Amino acid sequence: LGAAAAPAARLGYGTSFGLVARLSWFGPAYGARADGEGVTATVRQELLTADLAYFHAFDGLIVGGWLGAGPYHLAARGEVALPYHGQNASVWALAGLLGAGVGYRLTPRLSLLLDVQLLVATPRPVVTARGVLLGSAAQPSLLSGLGVVVRL
């Protein structure tokens, strides 16, 4: 499957010494496609994880890392030439995440964060048509993002 873009949101609770427990939501991610002979599948993906993170601040610079796990959903909509009919199907998997990020504190309550994550899902999500493999989620998949962190 190819690249996809998605919004993301995180809600967490942090300690004064940098440990953070949070929930992360990614999706829906659109843009990935799987193509085969006479068939195209458009793919939508969602991910929800529970994460345990650690962040440390050096003056205005913030660095951190995290581990997370949760359900991953992939839905595919098939489009085929006549006389065939396209079908919709979806699959669920358990995903594990390993991530790291670097940020800059703009104010005491507002920061920018750039992060990268590796995702592994089991069972491996695949897209098939008429018994032929059209594509699968990469193992590991690479996620990246640029976001705003607001401390309440």
Side-chain angles (χ1 to χ4, degrees), residues 57 59-60 62 104-111 149-152:
D59 294 323
I62 303 165
Y104 185 75
R105 183 171 289 145
L106 301 171
T107 72
R109 298 197 177 273
L110 185 67
S111 304
V149 178
V150 179
R151 295 178 61 191
L152 302 177

Side-chain angles (χ1 to χ4, degrees), residues 62-87:
I62 303 165
V63 295
W66 55 91
L67 292 171
Y72 167 85
H73 179 244
L74 183 145
R77 189 179 85 231
E79 299 169 9
V80 295
L82 292 174
Y84 299 105
H85 299 282
Q87 293 186 341

Side-chain angles (χ1 to χ4, degrees), residues 11-15 19-22:
L11 178 63
Y13 180 79
T15 65
L19 197 59
V20 178
R22 67 182 185 192

Side-chain angles (χ1 to χ4, degrees), residues 1 29-30 32-35 39-46 72-79 86-92 125-129 134-135:
L1 303 175
Y30 292 102
R33 297 175 62 90
D35 296 305
V39 62
T40 297
T42 56
V43 176
R44 186 188 80 236
Q45 303 167 79
E46 294 95 13
Y72 167 85
H73 179 244
L74 183 145
R77 189 179 85 231
E79 299 169 9
Q87 293 186 341
N88 300 332
S90 66
V91 63
W92 289 90
V126 298
V127 177
T128 62
L134 298 181

